[in-house]
């Protein structure tokens, strides 16, 4: 008579804890990691001129100042997002033009937003406006390393932003006005070529700054950079900050609604519910009625394995001689016993007796039983069959 | 803790509230409902640990026969037990329908019978008894596995007992009880009786005839009270499979038939199983007590993967036997093992005793010998022929040392060994 399995509630709890504690610890760690990942944290990047890059080459300083002033910054990396967000009444900042393809440039030019272009090349500037072009020479030559830098450029125009900035240190490209719609500021030695360009046409304002470094954290505080940049970018409440990416080729995203848009609104809740049903069904089927019972099994090696192994050895080493000798010896001993010869009888006696019993010639029997060994598979098979014939003749006689 | 299909249905019913209020929160809420209801249901179930269980199983059963394992389940707790009881046995114990539904009010008992049809010889042990107790709603259950030890000894099948009647008839012919006298040289003098036509004239006792008016012949009966020692080799050669059963099983069948025959013939039978140490021994049992003792000793034998210690066997035989006896070695006629083991020491046995080596021949090798299909089969046939020649050679060497050889297919070994015993007895060589 057995009553209970000898455990107590506390003992079972302890053993369950021992069994599950590893899983519990792993689940806790996973939950903690997931929570930590889900927490909003200040994210930074190392992308040049990005609004979340706090290093020297980044532009987080400008972005933070703008946000504090109430400008809403949308940071995008693809031209599709940029053109989608750049509607009329917003500012679109394009931080470079080297990574842009033709259709991306066209898309940017076709937006109705005010444009702020940093160091645009001919291609981009030409697509955006016909009122100005990129000059062949820079307005300010930084000179070779070690020599004293050229003095800062002074506004020398009537654009209020440029006048507010006063002077900048810009070593990039210069721009030449073609029509009256364009205003060129901060000229260098050539008064026609300036580092700052403003074009007002068709209700849109296009600003080009020849040197992108005016925006960076490192140089924002120099001269009048901050004033120039903040006035250019802070013109509207919405700023689309587009940093071109090398992995964006300008293809439009898949059109039409996504799969999740096609599902009815209750689909998510139903899926969750079905997940619960599946989990309960899994627990229902998974629980065994008692542990598995093991069976000590006997050896399963067949006794004929050794014989087969020997056969394979003969075959692999192509031992036709050994195989033929075995077949011949067995046939000879069985036939000799059949015709009444003692086991110790010699070859000549066996040949004579078998020749008499089968009516074959002694040469035939001798060649069959004591001839040269076969040299190939076919010869061996033939020998085996002929030995069978001989035996059957002996047995018939 | 276990769930039932009803819990799945309950979870599926949550589709209704989800359809009415289609937000994920509804599904989560329903999950909590399912968990709570299942938890309460399991909590209200009778404790499977407050159930008293005892098992009654027969001590032994012959292979292929049925045995019944009876569980007595008593609800010792205060709640009604609705549940499922599993009487687990080793797979080879052949417990077919071993799950029993029970509905036990407090304090009551039930007997649950599981029919066992064992499929292998040996000691089959029972595993745990698992009790799953369902809650009042049948949604969830509590489960416990109790250790209720039990062992069922499955005796050898003794299929060769069908050969016993014919061999006993031959034994009676030898014994002088039948009409025909079969007489051997070494038989014992039994009695004198009147000559009838057909009697061997050489058996006429002239001295007795001279004293009486009629011709008198002597009658004879075979020797009785000879000793027969069966030695089972349980080493690695016994483990190899012949016809999908270990060689040992064929040896056991032969040992059983010979024991049955020899004890009816009035001989004293002893049995030992040995590889490198003694595995089983039957000694001193006679008459009706012998066969149960032999079957019981042979039942749990398993081959050990070791080489036979033949000097040890010889020492054991010499220790057990003082007078001339029949020693039957149930082993294998494997050329390599015989040459390195038995051949070196068998002389010490044949000096004092009559030794018979009974070996199981492999029908698969005989099949391989006739293979002519392709080159691989011919090579296999050649290997089989070579093995056979070596067996014949080693058998011849053993015969020269005075060992009788019985080399037969598994199903023929028992009757052929019995025939050899009868022949030895008829020849008076015991």
């Amino acid at each position: 008579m057995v009553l209970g399995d000898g455990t107590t509630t506390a003992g079972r709890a302890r053993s369950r804890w021992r069994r599950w504690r590893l899983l519990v610890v792993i689940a806790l760690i996973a939950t903690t990691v997931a929570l930590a990942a889900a927490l909003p944290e200040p994210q930074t990047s190392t992308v040049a001129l990005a609004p979340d890059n706090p290093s020297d080459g980044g532009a987080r300083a400008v972005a933070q100042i703008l946000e504090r002033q109430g400008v809403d910054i949308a940071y995008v990396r693809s031209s599709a997002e940029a053109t989608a967000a750049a509607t009329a009444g917003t500012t679109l900042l394009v931080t470079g033009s080297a990574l842009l393809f033709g259709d991306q440039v066209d898309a940017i030019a076709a937006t109705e937003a005010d444009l702020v272009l940093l160091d645009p090349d001919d291609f981009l500037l030409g697509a955006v406006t016909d009122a100005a072009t990129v000059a062949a020479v820079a307005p300010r030559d930084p000179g070779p390393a070690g020599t004293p830098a050229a003095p800062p450029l002074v506004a020398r125009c009537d654009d209020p932003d440029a006048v507010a900035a006063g002077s900048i240190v810009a070593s990039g490209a210069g721009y030449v006005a073609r029509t009256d719609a364009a205003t060129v500021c901060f000229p260098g030695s050539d008064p026609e070529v300036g580092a700052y360009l403003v074009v007002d046409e068709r209700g849109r304002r296009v600003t080009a700054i020849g040197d992108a470094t005016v925006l960076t954290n490192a140089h924002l505080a120099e001269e009048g950079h901050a004033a120039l940049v903040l006035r250019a970018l802070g013109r509207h409440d919405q700023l689309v900050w587009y940093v071109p990416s090398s992995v964006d080729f300008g293809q439009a995203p898949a059109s039409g609604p996504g799969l999740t848009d096609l599902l009815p609104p209750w689909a998510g809740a139903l899926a969750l519910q079905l997940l619960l049903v599946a989990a309960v069904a899994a627990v229902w089927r998974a629980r065994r009625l008692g542990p598995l019972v093991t069976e000590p099994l006997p050896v399963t090696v067949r006794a004929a394995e050794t014989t087969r192994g020997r056969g394979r050895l003969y075959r692999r080493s192509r031992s036709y001689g050994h195989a033929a000798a075995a077949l011949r010896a067995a046939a000879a001993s069985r036939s000799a016993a059949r015709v009444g010869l003692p086991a110790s009888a010699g070859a000549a006696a066996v040949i004579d007796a078998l020749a008499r019993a089968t009516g074959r010639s002694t040469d035939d029997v001798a060649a069959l039983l004591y001839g040269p060994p076969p040299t190939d598979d076919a010869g061996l098979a033939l020998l085996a069959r002929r030995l069978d014939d001989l035996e059957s003749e002996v047995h018939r006689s | 803790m276990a769930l039932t299909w009803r819990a799945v249905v309950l979870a599926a019913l949550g589709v209704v509230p989800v359809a009415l209020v289609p937000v994920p929160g509804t599904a989560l809420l329903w999950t909590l409902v399912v968990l709570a209801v299942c938890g309460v249901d399991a909590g209200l179930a009778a404790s499977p640990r407050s159930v008293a269980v005892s098992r009654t199983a027969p001590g032994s059963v012959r292979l292929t026969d049925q045995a019944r394992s009876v569980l007595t389940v008593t609800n010792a707790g205060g709640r009604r037990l609705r549940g499922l009881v599993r009487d687990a046995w080793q797979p080879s114990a052949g417990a077919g329908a071993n799950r029993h539904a029970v509905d036990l009010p407090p304090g009551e008992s039930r007997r649950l019978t599981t029919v066992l049809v064992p499929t292998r010889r040996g000691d089959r042990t029972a595993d745990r008894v698992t009790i799953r107790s369902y809650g009042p709603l049948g949604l969830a259950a509590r489960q416990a596995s109790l250790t209720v030890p039990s062992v069922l000894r499955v005796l050898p099948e003794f299929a060769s007992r069908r050969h016993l009647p014919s061999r006993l008839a031959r034994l009676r012919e030898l014994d002088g009880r039948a009409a025909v006298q079969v007489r051997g040289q070494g038989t014992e003098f039994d009695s004198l009786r009147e000559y009838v036509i057909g009697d061997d004239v050489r058996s006429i006792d002239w001295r007795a005839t001279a004293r009486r008016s009629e011709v008198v012949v002597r009658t004879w009966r075979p020797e009785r009270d000879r000793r027969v020692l069966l030695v089972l080799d349980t080493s690695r050669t016994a483990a190899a499979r012949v016809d999908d059963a270990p060689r040992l099983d064929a040896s056991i069948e032969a040992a059983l038939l010979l024991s049955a025959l020899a004890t009816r013939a009035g001989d004293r039978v002893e049995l030992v199983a040995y590889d490198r140490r003694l595995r089983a021994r039957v000694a001193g049992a006679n008459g009706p007590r012998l066969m149960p003792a032999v079957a019981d000793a042979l039942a749990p034998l398993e081959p050990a993967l070791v080489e036979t210690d033949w000097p040890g066997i010889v020492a054991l035989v010499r220790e057990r036997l003082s007078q001339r006896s029949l020693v039957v070695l149930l082993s294998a006629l494997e050329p390599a093992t015989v040459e390195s083991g038995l051949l070196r020491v068998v002389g010490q046995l044949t000096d004092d005793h009559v030794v018979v080596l009974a070996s199981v021949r492999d029908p698969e090798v005989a099949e391989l010998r006739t293979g002519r299909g392709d080159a691989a089969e011919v090579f296999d046939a050649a290997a089989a022929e070579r093995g056979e020649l070596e067996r014949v050679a080693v058998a011849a060497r053993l015969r020269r040392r005075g060992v009788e050889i019985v080399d037969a297919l598994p199903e023929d070994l028992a009757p052929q060994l019995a025939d050899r015993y009868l022949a030895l007895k008829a020849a008076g060589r015991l």
Side-chain angles (χ1 to χ4, degrees), chain A residues 1-9 12 16 265-274 276-331 333-334 343 376-378 380-388 391, chain B residues 1-5 7-8 10-15 18 21-28 30-31 34 48-54 72 74 76 84-86 88-93 99 120 124-125 127-128 130-132 142-149 239-244 246-247 302 305 334 362 364-365 368-370 372 375-376 378-387 389-390:
Chain A
M1 181 73 76
V2 175
L3 179 62
D5 54 2
T7 61
T8 60
T9 312
R12 283 199 299 280
R16 267 182 203 147
W266 42 263
L270 185 69
L272 211 58
Q273 180 64 29
L274 292 180
L276 168 70
V277 175
V280 173
V283 173
W284 166 46
R285 295 311 303 169
R287 186 76 163 110
R288 265 197 305 268
L289 188 60
L292 289 179
V293 189
T294 54
E295 171 86 33
L297 285 173
V299 181
T300 54
V301 176
R302 305 190 63 80
E305 294 281 303
T306 49
T307 307
R308 287 183 190 279
R310 189 186 240 183
R312 304 250 162 86
L313 278 180
Y314 280 165
R315 191 172 182 216
R316 183 175 295 176
S317 57
R318 309 177 72 75
S319 302
Y320 298 107
H322 281 107
L327 291 170
R328 283 169 160 161
S333 69
R334 276 196 299 267
D376 57 0
D377 286 356
L380 185 66
L382 181 69
L383 177 72
R385 273 200 302 280
R386 292 184 58 200
L387 286 171
D388 287 348
E391 264 194 79
Chain B
M1 180 82 180
L3 298 179
T4 67
W5 59 268
V8 182
L10 180 67
L13 281 180
V15 171
V18 166
V21 188
V23 292
T26 318
L28 293 178
W30 194 258
T31 309
V34 170
R49 291 174 180 84
S50 63
V51 176
V53 180
S54 68
T72 307
T74 308
L84 205 56
V85 176
R86 172 184 179 229
W89 285 79
Q90 277 185 1
S92 59
R99 294 172 176 219
R120 264 175 62 210
R124 305 277 81 96
T125 56
D127 205 75
R128 276 167 276 195
T130 304
I131 300 170
R132 181 177 281 189
R142 296 164 71 183
Q143 181 172 319
S145 293
L146 318 180
T147 307
V148 188
R241 290 206 156 209
V242 175
D243 265 356
D244 210 29
R247 227 180 226 144
E302 293 292 341
L305 296 182
E334 295 274 332
D362 190 354
E364 201 178 335
V365 171
L368 285 179
R369 273 169 53 186
T370 57
R372 295 289 185 266
V378 176
F379 275 115
D380 282 351
E385 297 281 22
R386 175 60 69 196
L389 288 170
E390 286 169 0

Side-chain angles (χ1 to χ4, degrees), chain A residues 331-385:
Chain A
S333 69
R334 276 196 299 267
S335 304
R338 171 76 188 170
V339 298
L341 285 176
S344 56
V350 171
I351 291 169
D352 277 346
L354 292 188
R356 271 200 307 281
T358 58
R360 296 184 183 212
S361 71
T362 51
D363 290 347
D364 188 20
V365 174
L368 194 51
L369 288 183
Y370 300 97
T375 54
D376 57 0
D377 286 356
L380 185 66
L382 181 69
L383 177 72
R385 273 200 302 280

